Amino acid sequence: MSNILNKENILTALRKVIDPDLGKDIVSLGFVKDVKIENKDISFKIELTTPACPVREQFKIAAAKAIRDAMPEAGNIAIEMTSSVRQAPQLKQDDILQGVKNTIAVASGKGGVGKSTVAVNLAVSLAQDGAKVGLIDADIYGPSIPLMMGINERPKIKNQKLMPLEAHGVKVMSIGFLVDPNQAVIWRGPMASGAIKQFMTDVDWGDLDYLIFDLPPGTGDIQLTLVQTIPLSGAVIVTTPQDISLADARKGYAMFEKVNVPILGIVENMSYFICSHCGEREEIFAYGGGQNAAKELGTTFLGEIPIYTNIRIGGDEGLPIVVKEKDTPHTKIIKEIARNMVAQLSIRAMSGKTTQKVEIKLTSGK
């Protein structure tokens, strides 16, 4: 190849940089923007599909090396890493949540697996990476997001819409903002489902890259209401390693599969424990269950989160662990899981796979 410093040769060199998830080069994918040459200095942008790209820095290093190898006489190589989150492909654009590019359900087959803790930390992680993120506490009967996010106020109304409250860079809505925290929410299924609909139709979410739904455990009314109301971009299943949790996780997976919601992957919470005295790793709830379930179901294993006291303390204090401890191994694990999750969304968006609302007809069984 000619090593003349021109745009054509720069793009040819950059075709050697391959996106590991999409299997195509960054030029063909349209990631390379604004190539400029001044004397021997080169500058351009790499526009990724999410600010939370898990291989962001690797792209930058690989791109600089590709140009340097092809044109060793090049001067300074300045690469600006930017992002433009792709909207999840849909069969039609719904009136509901028009400004929201992706909707993600965080679910579990059973309670007690730390699903809300995972949802909160994933949302805050994405916001820390520069994404515009919203979080809906869809657990009407046991809303825990206000405590975990450290919010203790009521939302205001503007232009006949509720304004979501904000903490740690995330817009949040929960029934816990609207009812007395000391009173139980004693509602039948249709009322709870109606509240979820209102959180989508009567709240001014503005423009969001990702809107995350923290679902109640199981496969009940609220889950069905959600998938009937909007075409979900994807779902994440949270489990723990023991057999009973994995059995319920498989049921949750089967429900989303039946209603045509893509499964982005499985997260294994409370995966192991590192002794603070001896440093030994202990598999309290067994080992490898989440990975095995992901392999069995043909989905992605997004990662494993260990048992760690400060994760629980952070939730009680309204300081998610990714805020409380920004550079610890536990925070890095969660941030990697969040990036792996949105990478799966990007793969779907770039491949053009569609998601749509479903109609579910219940029969008496007679």
Side-chain angles (χ1 to χ4, degrees), residues 325-343:
E325 298 182 5
K326 292 187 177 180
D327 296 313
T328 63
H330 301 86
T331 288
K332 291 176 181 176
I333 287 169
I334 293 171
K335 291 185 81 68
E336 183 178 358
I337 290 171
R339 291 165 182 167
N340 290 340
M341 175 183 73
V342 295

Side-chain angles (χ1 to χ4, degrees), residues 59-313:
F59 271 135
K60 188 173 184 178
I61 293 168
K65 183 177 186 301
I67 293 174
R68 187 68 68 192
D69 288 347
M71 290 165 277
E73 75 280 9
N76 183 55
I77 301 172
I79 305 173
E80 181 183 352
M81 303 300 294
T82 65
S83 64
S84 177
V85 176
R86 306 298 197 266
Q87 176 139 359
Q90 299 173 356
L91 293 183
K92 65 177 182 178
Q93 178 63 52
D94 274 63
D95 292 333
I96 299 175
L97 300 173
Q98 273 196 336
V100 177
K101 294 181 178 178
N102 295 277
T103 51
I104 306 168
V106 178
S108 65
K110 66 183 292 294
V113 300
K115 168 187 53 57
S116 294
T117 299
V118 171
V120 162
N121 280 283
L122 292 179
V124 176
S125 291
L126 294 177
Q128 289 175 337
D129 277 338
K132 291 179 284 188
V133 185
L135 175 63
I136 289 181
D137 186 353
D139 194 345
I140 299 298
Y141 301 112
S144 56
I145 299 300
L147 174 64
M148 290 184 170
M149 292 293 279
I151 303 174
N152 186 24
E153 56 183 297
R154 288 181 175 271
K156 294 179 172 60
I157 297 177
K158 185 177 180 181
N159 298 326
Q160 298 183 324
K161 291 246 184 181
L162 282 169
M163 303 302 294
L165 299 172
E166 189 167 333
H168 313 303
V170 177
K171 293 180 179 179
V172 186
M173 183 52 64
S174 170
I175 196 68
F177 299 150
L178 306 173
V179 299
D180 186 335
N182 297 315
Q183 297 296 317
V185 177
I186 307 174
W187 290 352
R188 292 189 183 276
M191 289 184 67
S193 298
I196 295 304
K197 284 186 178 180
Q198 285 188 293
F199 286 168
M200 290 182 274
T201 59
D202 296 346
V203 175
D204 184 1
W205 290 105
D207 294 327
L208 294 177
D209 296 320
Y210 307 104
L211 179 59
I212 295 175
F213 294 81
D214 176 34
L215 294 181
T219 55
D221 287 343
I222 289 175
Q223 286 85 347
L224 296 180
T225 295
L226 182 58
V227 299
Q228 286 178 312
T229 305
I230 60 169
L232 274 172
S233 308
V236 172
I237 307 295
V238 180
T239 186
T240 51
Q242 65 264 49
D243 290 343
I244 186 63
S245 290
L246 292 165
D248 287 326
R250 291 183 181 95
K251 294 174 186 175
Y253 180 97
M255 180 202 74
F256 284 116
E257 191 174 51
K258 189 170 185 177
V259 296
N260 302 320
V261 174
I263 306 297
L264 303 177
I266 290 176
V267 176
E268 185 179 277
N269 194 29
M270 306 183 212
S271 185
Y272 56 88
F273 174 71
I274 300 293
C275 178
S276 59
H277 299 291
C278 66
E280 289 291 319
R281 171 170 168 157
E282 296 183 32
E283 315 291 347
I284 296 175
F285 296 125
Y287 173 72
Q291 283 183 306
N292 292 336
K295 185 176 180 180
E296 171 193 324
L297 296 169
T299 190
T300 303
F301 183 64
L302 297 173
E304 55 186 21
I305 302 172
I307 297 171
Y308 181 51
T309 302
N310 279 356
I311 293 179
R312 190 270 305 165
I313 293 173

Side-chain angles (χ1 to χ4, degrees), residues 10-73:
I10 290 170
L11 293 177
T12 299
L14 291 174
R15 289 182 188 277
K16 294 183 179 179
V17 181
I18 306 297
D19 185 300
D21 294 317
L22 300 171
K24 296 181 180 179
D25 68 87
I26 60 174
V27 177
S28 299
L29 291 168
F31 291 176
V32 180
K33 311 280 187 182
D34 301 334
V35 177
K36 296 177 182 176
I37 305 167
E38 188 172 345
N39 296 324
K40 291 188 176 183
D41 295 338
I42 299 170
S43 66
F44 57 93
K45 296 177 182 177
I46 298 179
E47 184 182 84
L48 303 176
T49 56
T50 172
C53 177
V55 290
R56 182 187 183 95
E57 288 307 310
Q58 289 94 314
F59 271 135
K60 188 173 184 178
I61 293 168
K65 183 177 186 301
I67 293 174
R68 187 68 68 192
D69 288 347
M71 290 165 277
E73 75 280 9

